[in-house]
Amino acid sequence: MSGLADVLVERLRAVGTRALFGVPGGGGNLDLIEAARRAGLPFVLTSTETGAAIAAMAQAEVTGRPGACLTTLGPGAASVVNGVACAYLDRAPIAVFTDNSPVGTRHFSHQQLDQLAMFAPITKWSGRLTSGDDGGGVDRIFQELTSLPPGPVHIDCPGDAFAKRPRESFSAEKQPQESFSGSEQTENDSRSYFLPENDSRGRFDALVSGARRPLLIVGLGARQGADAAAIRHLCEQRQVPAMVTYKAKGVVPDAHECFAGVFTNGFIERALIGQADLIIGIGLDPIELLPRPWTFVQPIVNINPWLVPTDHVPFAAQWVTDIASAVGAIESHMRPSEWDLDAVARAVQEQRRLIDVPGTGLTPQRVIEVAARALAAPGRLSVDAGAHMLPATMLWPVAEPNGLLISNGLSTMGFALPAAIGAALIERDATTGTGVRARPVVAIIGDGGLLMCAGELLTAAREKLRIMTIVFSDASLSLIEIKQQARQLPPAGVALGAVRWAALAESFGVAGFVASTDDELAAAIDQAAACNGPSLIEATIDRSNYGAMLRAIRG
Ligand SMILES: Cc1ncc(C[n+]2csc(CCOP(=O)(O)OP(=O)(O)O)c2C)c(N)n1
Ligand SMILES: [Mg+2]
């Protein structure tokens, strides 16, 4: 008879989970790892718990199926918090299992934290497995994990919960406080409805059918393959341009005739938006936008699988529904637009020119251009938080949904490498035994960000993953440095000091290369691309143009 750990692992496999990441402690962690081994669900040891949650999140984004990670109690649970927060604000479904001491031993205070309360504000649902007899606990966990909006679910597992018992004898006890208004959403999952009121459908249709120059802004809610196909079809049939948020890059590829650039609620995109008479959000969740007032005067409507708040973006009407079918429906009553798509393409070209600020030495934009020329077509990209993100998100062409993995809702540093690990495991497993090389995953990361997750280089080496890490080595927390410059403050607390990254990588068993010119970079990329396992390129860059680049993009 299966124990609870087996039941959980079976259910994970049934929903399509590809791996269980984590740093184990003892207790129930060991039952879960053993159950995973028995069921053929790989357990992947990471160097940090947050790295585990981010790798799980990346797998959720790439596969559309929930990811999973586990931690020990106390320090492990505390250490995973940033990764769980990332999945929460980036809308990724992951199951987070924490160990805990047996329920009868809570009078021991060693390593004891209120884990349910700790995860409550950063998960859709945070509950504890207990022995009981209602049998519905596991169902509840998986209902939360697969409902909308996507997000993390925390399952606290006291050591005694995994004692051998029939599966019917387990239930889940919910945290005392509700953390997310997801419960009403769950009931609406299968429905399609308009808001704010009953006649919103009429308003929505009138705006869409009356628009001469509608502009799409595609966001993270529209990343399924069917969504992308429907959106591209609408764009092509009605000659409608589409901007994409960072997380939606690739839904409408950069090379598509209707691509209108990246939307962040910054400055650089404003001129183009000014020419639209209607903005149609598709999968647009304000969680992705820069925290600045919404100043566009045209009406905006949104189509998204879940309801989003209207206090930041004043949606005139929201259609909460399946995106692919709704996009097909609006296409049928849209007229051919009056946009000049060549002019739109020229405007995007002009944006790229504006951020091509000259510098001395190897400029950040050149690193992206040289790397993208060799790697954008075969590879998937992950990008960290920092100034290097500015050229990476604008200049790297993406052709498929989730071809760019990025933390945008949380915008956390230390993301790109563990995310690349989650994605590269899927690429590795897809090619194992076929004789075909795995698609490379390119991780673009600053030196500050890599300091936060460098231990995951060892994970990449141990798992033999085809990850090319390109570290923008500028010995500085550049994004913060340029914010200080903008306020005429002297640099303070931003100098990192030099690191011999290639040597560090080699010490982990990762092939290391250095480059400080275009030619050296191109040669290093060739050599790195020839590696079947992980590689790292230390690109010593000239950071002097980041300030001008930031002003061009954000004003
Ligand atoms: C975990 C975390 N800590 C702090 C920040 C604030 N922050 C954003 S970018 C940045 C500097 C990043 O430095 P680096 O990784 O070297 O990238 P660069 O800006 O130099 O390209 C900091 C400190 C953050 N986003 N995430
Ligand atoms: Mg830096």
Side-chain angles (χ1 to χ4, degrees), residues 7 27 77 145 208 277 294 369 414 427 551:
V7 174
L145 191 58
V208 167
D277 61 0
W294 185 264
E369 283 164 2
E427 304 296 352
R551 280 193 298 282

Side-chain angles (χ1 to χ4, degrees), residues 81 84-85 87-89 94-96 115-127 144 151-155 174-175 177-182:
V81 162
V84 179
Y88 186 62
L89 292 190
I94 61 168
V96 182
Q115 295 179 179
L116 291 190
M118 197 157 76
F119 288 97
I122 54 167
T123 54
K124 288 171 64 178
W125 187 88
S126 172
E144 294 286 348
V153 169
H154 166 233
I155 307 104
K174 197 183 176 332
Q175 68 198 30
Q177 66 272 57
E178 279 284 348
S179 66
F180 191 84
S181 58

Side-chain angles (χ1 to χ4, degrees), residues 82 384-389 410-414 445-450 452 472 474 476-480 483 496 546:
N82 191 50
D384 216 62
H388 60 279
M389 172 198 87
L410 185 66
S411 296
T412 184
M413 293 164 72
I445 189 164
D447 39 11
L450 190 52
M452 293 186 180
F472 280 51
D474 55 12
S476 172
L477 300 177
S478 282
L479 187 62
I480 312 308
K483 288 181 181 178
L496 293 172
Y546 275 140

Side-chain angles (χ1 to χ4, degrees), residues 192-484:
S192 169
Y193 58 98
F194 286 83
L195 284 167
E197 63 271 315
N198 290 339
D199 68 352
S200 297
R201 167 149 221 163
R203 180 154 169 69
F204 194 103
D205 288 348
L207 285 168
V208 167
S209 55
R212 291 165 184 275
R213 289 160 81 92
L215 173 80
L216 307 187
I217 301 182
V218 182
L220 63 76
R223 288 178 294 163
Q224 293 183 12
D227 303 341
I231 292 166
R232 293 175 194 183
H233 191 269
L234 179 151
C235 290
E236 290 156 15
Q237 295 303 310
R238 298 291 178 259
Q239 295 289 287
V240 172
M243 289 188 180
V244 293
T245 62
Y246 287 162
K247 288 184 80 80
K249 267 203 88 164
V251 174
V252 178
D254 295 50
H256 193 279
E257 56 164 335
C258 299
F259 180 73
V262 170
F263 179 80
T264 63
N265 200 29
F267 172 77
I268 204 162
E269 67 262 28
R270 295 194 67 85
L272 208 44
I273 296 176
Q275 299 172 31
D277 61 0
L278 174 68
I279 304 171
I280 304 176
I282 303 189
L284 184 60
D285 186 325
I287 206 153
E288 283 205 84
L289 306 190
L290 287 174
R292 299 173 169 190
W294 185 264
T295 53
F296 301 107
V297 292
Q298 310 91 323
I300 178 167
V301 295
N302 199 28
I303 301 172
N304 194 46
W306 58 90
L307 188 62
V308 296
T310 51
D311 44 1
H312 184 186
V313 182
F315 294 110
Q318 294 192 58
W319 188 1
V320 180
T321 188
D322 166 67
I323 286 186
S325 47
V327 168
I330 66 168
E331 182 188 313
S332 64
H333 56 261
M334 276 169 99
R335 61 175 93 179
S337 89
E338 294 175 9
W339 284 97
D340 173 355
L341 290 180
D342 291 336
V344 172
R346 285 196 298 276
V348 174
Q349 211 41 51
E350 174 63 8
Q351 293 179 4
R352 295 189 176 126
R353 195 192 61 77
L354 284 172
I355 69 157
D356 191 11
V357 185
T360 53
L362 184 57
T363 57
Q365 71 269 26
R366 283 299 291 158
V367 179
I368 300 297
E369 283 164 2
V370 172
R373 198 177 305 138
L375 302 170
R380 193 187 295 276
L381 182 70
S382 65
V383 177
D384 216 62
H388 60 279
M389 172 198 87
L390 301 169
T393 49
M394 281 194 66
L395 300 177
W396 190 283
V398 183
E400 63 185 327
N402 295 306
L404 164 65
L405 302 174
I406 188 165
S407 166
N408 194 15
L410 185 66
S411 296
T412 184
M413 293 164 72
F415 172 87
L417 180 54
I421 286 170
L425 277 161
I426 289 167
E427 304 296 352
R428 185 198 68 186
D429 294 348
T431 52
T432 301
T434 63
V436 177
R437 297 173 83 202
R439 275 178 75 184
V441 182
V442 181
I444 300 277
I445 189 164
D447 39 11
L450 190 52
L451 282 170
M452 293 186 180
C453 61
E456 305 305 350
L457 288 169
L458 185 60
T459 312
R462 203 169 44 236
E463 296 291 334
K464 302 183 172 56
L465 300 179
R466 195 151 175 245
I467 294 175
M468 271 174 242
T469 299
I470 303 180
V471 53
F472 280 51
S473 183
D474 55 12
S476 172
L477 300 177
S478 282
L479 187 62
I480 312 308
E481 188 180 15
I482 57 179
K483 288 181 181 178
Q484 288 172 336

